[in-house]
Amino acid sequence: MTIIAIADEVRAALAAGRGVVALESTILSHGLPSGRNRKVAERLEAVVREAGAVPATIAVLDGKIRVGLDERQLDRLCAADSGLVKLSKRDLGPAIAMNQDGATTVASTAAIAHAAGIGVFGTGGLGGVHLPLPGKHSSWDVSADLDALAETPVLVVSSGVKSVLDIEATLELLETRSVPVIGYQTDHFPGFYLRESAYALSWRVDTPKQAADVVHAHWQVPGQAGILLANPIPPEYEMDRELHDQLLADGVKLLDERGVQGRDVTPVLLEHFHTASSGVSLDANEALVVANVTLAAQIAADLAER
């Protein structure tokens, strides 16, 4: 049985050496409200094509991993009653065996993209090390995204990690796993809704060509790690820092009151941001993922020319 089904357009682009950009599906099925998610799905695929590459949205549907979705499949993915579950890399086998439809996270999307021969992936924010909840000294909750990036030679373009996470610990772990973190037109690691965190970066590029140069060289050195290209949110969509910090503080209290733990922490915090900010964070989320996917497509097109 063929577990990975690659859409004809994606397969043809790969065979012809054209640029292809992997797109995750969790941001559509779980990160954005119904209706808006379908419009964003169209917008993301459109900006990839405008940059000269081919989009490959990834999900698990009808017992198979789908690399590249048609209009009907995108409709299913974005439907309010889709019933799709979040699938990290560890969940792929059980989901396929049990015929469970699901949306892929950064970890599973990166792994699938590499298996399909796709080397560039555009997303919103990477998972990371969670902040300790009130009353706890530390957190053992670490996203599988980090290990996937350390083990999978794929370029991931994101606006850093979600700002509800422990950025310092996340960067330390990436350094330990030998994952290069490159700032795009910035010397500081982005904070998702914020353009800059307090943490400086060792490397910076300022054009898609420079980024492609780094990727091309990295793929020729020993090792299997991917690359994280950290692209700040467009300045006009950056959240007010005071509002951001207040939302985060209130969100952490909410987690403590509800006893939320594990994989439910980030979705609950992000939903709190969306609700309490009166939609400001939703606009920010859309703007940053569009910017990241556009940049990923420009880099993919440049790499294809080589």
Side-chain angles (χ1 to χ4, degrees), residues 87-280:
L87 300 177
S88 189
K89 186 178 175 182
R90 69 171 187 175
D91 303 309
L92 293 174
I96 292 166
M98 298 179 186
N99 203 35
Q100 171 65 62
D101 292 344
T104 54
T105 65
V106 170
S108 50
T109 303
I112 293 165
H114 177 58
I118 302 169
V120 179
F121 169 23
T123 187
L126 194 70
V129 180
H130 281 254
L131 289 163
L133 295 176
K136 294 187 177 182
H137 297 295
S138 62
S139 170
W140 286 98
D141 191 349
V142 180
S143 172
D145 294 355
L146 302 184
D147 264 2
L149 189 55
E151 299 167 352
T152 313
V154 170
L155 168 69
V156 177
V157 182
S158 82
S159 295
V161 299
K162 297 179 178 69
S163 54
V164 298
L165 302 174
D166 188 329
I167 294 176
E168 182 179 21
T170 299
L171 287 172
E172 286 291 342
L173 198 153
L174 288 170
E175 180 183 3
T176 299
R177 299 302 307 274
S178 298
V179 176
V181 180
I182 317 294
Y184 186 76
Q185 299 181 352
T186 183
D187 295 310
H188 285 79
F189 194 68
F192 197 64
Y193 296 125
L194 304 175
R195 284 183 58 79
E196 288 188 357
S197 69
Y199 304 100
L201 294 173
S202 301
W203 300 100
R204 167 182 177 147
V205 295
D206 290 293
T207 66
K209 182 184 182 304
Q210 285 183 330
D213 288 341
V214 171
V215 175
H216 185 67
H218 178 73
W219 285 345
Q220 297 179 71
V221 300
Q224 287 294 308
I227 303 175
L228 176 58
L229 183 61
N231 182 34
I233 184 173
E236 64 271 28
Y237 287 97
E238 181 178 25
M239 187 178 288
D240 176 78
R241 189 173 291 269
E242 185 175 338
L243 171 63
H244 172 274
D245 292 348
Q246 186 61 56
L247 289 171
L248 180 56
D250 292 344
V252 171
K253 290 180 184 177
L254 184 67
L255 293 175
D256 186 41
E257 291 169 359
R258 295 185 182 178
V260 178
Q261 296 181 355
R263 66 189 300 173
D264 295 327
V265 167
T266 297
V268 170
L269 277 176
L270 291 180
E271 178 59 30
H272 167 70
F273 265 73
H274 295 338
T275 303
S277 70
S278 300
V280 171

